[in-house]
mmCIF file of all heavy atoms in Angstrom:
data_model
loop_
_atom_site.group_PDB
_atom_site.id
_atom_site.type_symbol
_atom_site.label_atom_id
_atom_site.label_comp_id
_atom_site.label_asym_id
_atom_site.label_seq_id
_atom_site.Cartn_x
_atom_site.Cartn_y
_atom_site.Cartn_z
ATOM 1 N N PHE A 239 15.656 0.915 -8.431
ATOM 2 C CA PHE A 239 15.033 0.904 -9.753
ATOM 3 C C PHE A 239 14.902 2.325 -10.325
ATOM 4 O O PHE A 239 15.141 2.534 -11.518
ATOM 5 C CB PHE A 239 13.638 0.271 -9.693
ATOM 6 C CG PHE A 239 13.643 -1.215 -9.483
ATOM 7 C CD1 PHE A 239 12.552 -1.903 -8.997
ATOM 8 C CD2 PHE A 239 14.778 -1.977 -9.825
ATOM 9 C CE1 PHE A 239 12.553 -3.274 -8.839
ATOM 10 C CE2 PHE A 239 14.801 -3.340 -9.652
ATOM 11 C CZ PHE A 239 13.698 -3.987 -9.172
ATOM 12 N N GLY A 242 18.280 3.453 -11.519
ATOM 13 C CA GLY A 242 18.632 2.785 -12.756
ATOM 14 C C GLY A 242 17.883 3.368 -13.932
ATOM 15 O O GLY A 242 18.462 3.602 -15.012
ATOM 16 N N TYR A 243 16.613 3.658 -13.738
ATOM 17 C CA TYR A 243 15.803 4.246 -14.801
ATOM 18 C C TYR A 243 16.351 5.603 -15.235
ATOM 19 O O TYR A 243 16.476 5.915 -16.404
ATOM 20 C CB TYR A 243 14.348 4.391 -14.328
ATOM 21 C CG TYR A 243 13.404 4.933 -15.380
ATOM 22 C CD1 TYR A 243 12.752 4.081 -16.279
ATOM 23 C CD2 TYR A 243 13.157 6.307 -15.486
ATOM 24 C CE1 TYR A 243 11.891 4.572 -17.235
ATOM 25 C CE2 TYR A 243 12.320 6.817 -16.453
ATOM 26 C CZ TYR A 243 11.673 5.949 -17.325
ATOM 27 O OH TYR A 243 10.819 6.428 -18.270
ATOM 28 N N ILE A 244 16.672 6.440 -14.243
ATOM 29 C CA ILE A 244 17.191 7.779 -14.530
ATOM 30 C C ILE A 244 18.543 7.712 -15.258
ATOM 31 O O ILE A 244 18.792 8.428 -16.235
ATOM 32 C CB ILE A 244 17.338 8.585 -13.228
ATOM 33 C CG1 ILE A 244 15.953 8.868 -12.624
ATOM 34 C CG2 ILE A 244 18.070 9.901 -13.469
ATOM 35 C CD1 ILE A 244 15.994 9.476 -11.253
ATOM 36 N N TYR A 246 19.765 5.188 -17.077
ATOM 37 C CA TYR A 246 19.599 4.663 -18.452
ATOM 38 C C TYR A 246 18.934 5.705 -19.356
ATOM 39 O O TYR A 246 19.324 5.861 -20.515
ATOM 40 C CB TYR A 246 18.733 3.401 -18.426
ATOM 41 C CG TYR A 246 19.489 2.158 -18.010
ATOM 42 C CD1 TYR A 246 19.028 1.366 -16.961
ATOM 43 C CD2 TYR A 246 20.658 1.790 -18.684
ATOM 44 C CE1 TYR A 246 19.733 0.214 -16.570
ATOM 45 C CE2 TYR A 246 21.368 0.655 -18.297
ATOM 46 C CZ TYR A 246 20.896 -0.126 -17.236
ATOM 47 O OH TYR A 246 21.613 -1.259 -16.867
ATOM 48 N N TRP A 253 16.607 6.021 -26.623
ATOM 49 C CA TRP A 253 15.904 5.570 -25.412
ATOM 50 C C TRP A 253 14.603 4.853 -25.737
ATOM 51 O O TRP A 253 14.342 3.752 -25.260
ATOM 52 C CB TRP A 253 15.670 6.777 -24.512
ATOM 53 C CG TRP A 253 14.823 6.514 -23.294
ATOM 54 C CD1 TRP A 253 13.650 7.123 -22.974
ATOM 55 C CD2 TRP A 253 15.102 5.617 -22.232
ATOM 56 N NE1 TRP A 253 13.177 6.659 -21.774
ATOM 57 C CE2 TRP A 253 14.057 5.722 -21.289
ATOM 58 C CE3 TRP A 253 16.126 4.715 -21.967
ATOM 59 C CZ2 TRP A 253 13.984 4.963 -20.123
ATOM 60 C CZ3 TRP A 253 16.082 3.953 -20.801
ATOM 61 C CH2 TRP A 253 15.025 4.066 -19.891
ATOM 62 N N PHE A 324 8.520 -6.361 -23.270
ATOM 63 C CA PHE A 324 9.570 -6.393 -22.244
ATOM 64 C C PHE A 324 10.967 -6.451 -22.854
ATOM 65 O O PHE A 324 11.929 -5.935 -22.277
ATOM 66 C CB PHE A 324 9.355 -7.599 -21.327
ATOM 67 C CG PHE A 324 10.302 -7.642 -20.158
ATOM 68 C CD1 PHE A 324 10.082 -6.861 -19.036
ATOM 69 C CD2 PHE A 324 11.403 -8.492 -20.177
ATOM 70 C CE1 PHE A 324 10.953 -6.895 -17.948
ATOM 71 C CE2 PHE A 324 12.269 -8.545 -19.103
ATOM 72 C CZ PHE A 324 12.037 -7.739 -17.972
ATOM 73 N N GLY A 327 14.297 -3.305 -26.048
ATOM 74 C CA GLY A 327 15.356 -2.428 -25.579
ATOM 75 C C GLY A 327 15.337 -2.174 -24.085
ATOM 76 O O GLY A 327 14.546 -2.777 -23.328
ATOM 77 N N VAL A 328 16.194 -1.277 -23.655
ATOM 78 C CA VAL A 328 16.288 -0.966 -22.234
ATOM 79 C C VAL A 328 14.994 -0.326 -21.736
ATOM 80 O O VAL A 328 14.523 -0.617 -20.634
ATOM 81 C CB VAL A 328 17.473 -0.034 -21.969
ATOM 82 C CG1 VAL A 328 17.559 0.358 -20.495
ATOM 83 C CG2 VAL A 328 18.780 -0.654 -22.428
ATOM 84 N N TYR A 329 14.426 0.525 -22.558
ATOM 85 C CA TYR A 329 13.193 1.210 -22.168
ATOM 86 C C TYR A 329 12.073 0.214 -21.887
ATOM 87 O O TYR A 329 11.391 0.312 -20.842
ATOM 88 C CB TYR A 329 12.746 2.184 -23.262
ATOM 89 C CG TYR A 329 11.442 2.870 -22.943
ATOM 90 C CD1 TYR A 329 11.411 3.968 -22.088
ATOM 91 C CD2 TYR A 329 10.245 2.434 -23.497
ATOM 92 C CE1 TYR A 329 10.217 4.598 -21.790
ATOM 93 C CE2 TYR A 329 9.040 3.052 -23.213
ATOM 94 C CZ TYR A 329 9.032 4.144 -22.355
ATOM 95 O OH TYR A 329 7.848 4.762 -22.058
ATOM 96 N N GLY A 330 11.879 -0.741 -22.804
ATOM 97 C CA GLY A 330 10.822 -1.718 -22.609
ATOM 98 C C GLY A 330 11.030 -2.526 -21.340
ATOM 99 O O GLY A 330 10.082 -2.756 -20.569
ATOM 100 N N GLY A 331 12.272 -2.949 -21.118
ATOM 101 C CA GLY A 331 12.573 -3.731 -19.913
ATOM 102 C C GLY A 331 12.320 -2.945 -18.647
ATOM 103 O O GLY A 331 11.721 -3.450 -17.695
ATOM 104 N N MET A 332 12.775 -1.687 -18.614
ATOM 105 C CA MET A 332 12.591 -0.869 -17.416
ATOM 106 C C MET A 332 11.117 -0.543 -17.166
ATOM 107 O O MET A 332 10.641 -0.538 -16.044
ATOM 108 C CB MET A 332 13.420 0.433 -17.547
ATOM 109 C CG MET A 332 14.922 0.222 -17.504
ATOM 110 S SD MET A 332 15.489 -0.477 -15.930
ATOM 111 C CE MET A 332 15.058 0.812 -14.791
ATOM 112 N N PHE A 333 10.394 -0.264 -18.244
ATOM 113 C CA PHE A 333 8.987 0.067 -18.092
ATOM 114 C C PHE A 333 8.189 -1.058 -17.475
ATOM 115 O O PHE A 333 7.450 -0.868 -16.492
ATOM 116 C CB PHE A 333 8.368 0.441 -19.479
ATOM 117 C CG PHE A 333 6.880 0.655 -19.427
ATOM 118 C CD1 PHE A 333 6.360 1.896 -19.094
ATOM 119 C CD2 PHE A 333 6.011 -0.383 -19.720
ATOM 120 C CE1 PHE A 333 4.977 2.092 -19.021
ATOM 121 C CE2 PHE A 333 4.619 -0.198 -19.673
ATOM 122 C CZ PHE A 333 4.122 1.045 -19.327
ATOM 123 N N TYR A 334 8.330 -2.237 -18.035
ATOM 124 C CA TYR A 334 7.542 -3.388 -17.520
ATOM 125 C C TYR A 334 8.047 -3.823 -16.167
ATOM 126 O O TYR A 334 7.234 -4.314 -15.330
ATOM 127 C CB TYR A 334 7.598 -4.524 -18.518
ATOM 128 C CG TYR A 334 6.687 -4.337 -19.696
ATOM 129 C CD1 TYR A 334 7.202 -3.892 -20.926
ATOM 130 C CD2 TYR A 334 5.324 -4.575 -19.603
ATOM 131 C CE1 TYR A 334 6.374 -3.704 -22.021
ATOM 132 C CE2 TYR A 334 4.485 -4.374 -20.685
ATOM 133 C CZ TYR A 334 5.012 -3.939 -21.891
ATOM 134 O OH TYR A 334 4.163 -3.718 -22.967
ATOM 135 N N LEU A 335 9.348 -3.686 -15.903
ATOM 136 C CA LEU A 335 9.867 -4.049 -14.588
ATOM 137 C C LEU A 335 9.293 -3.149 -13.505
ATOM 138 O O LEU A 335 8.799 -3.619 -12.468
ATOM 139 C CB LEU A 335 11.386 -3.957 -14.587
ATOM 140 C CG LEU A 335 12.083 -4.224 -13.237
ATOM 141 C CD1 LEU A 335 11.833 -5.648 -12.776
ATOM 142 C CD2 LEU A 335 13.592 -3.956 -13.350
ATOM 143 N N LEU A 336 9.330 -1.842 -13.737
ATOM 144 C CA LEU A 336 8.864 -0.883 -12.734
ATOM 145 C C LEU A 336 7.364 -0.949 -12.535
ATOM 146 O O LEU A 336 6.878 -1.045 -11.393
ATOM 147 C CB LEU A 336 9.262 0.532 -13.153
ATOM 148 C CG LEU A 336 10.747 0.884 -13.014
ATOM 149 C CD1 LEU A 336 11.057 2.245 -13.686
ATOM 150 C CD2 LEU A 336 11.158 0.917 -11.566
ATOM 151 N N THR A 337 6.600 -0.900 -13.621
ATOM 152 C CA THR A 337 5.149 -0.923 -13.492
ATOM 153 C C THR A 337 4.658 -2.286 -13.029
ATOM 154 O O THR A 337 3.685 -2.385 -12.253
ATOM 155 C CB THR A 337 4.469 -0.542 -14.809
ATOM 156 O OG1 THR A 337 4.890 -1.455 -15.847
ATOM 157 C CG2 THR A 337 4.824 0.865 -15.213
ATOM 158 N N ILE A 392 7.917 8.073 -15.453
ATOM 159 C CA ILE A 392 7.621 7.361 -16.700
ATOM 160 C C ILE A 392 6.712 8.129 -17.653
ATOM 161 O O ILE A 392 6.969 8.181 -18.852
ATOM 162 C CB ILE A 392 6.975 5.997 -16.376
ATOM 163 C CG1 ILE A 392 7.982 5.119 -15.617
ATOM 164 C CG2 ILE A 392 6.522 5.287 -17.648
ATOM 165 C CD1 ILE A 392 7.426 3.790 -15.158
#
Side-chain angles (χ1 to χ4, degrees):
F239 287 160
Y243 182 88
I244 293 171
Y246 281 126
W253 173 239
F324 186 79
V328 178
Y329 177 80
M332 292 298 296
F333 173 85
Y334 283 100
L335 176 63
L336 287 171
T337 58
I392 295 175

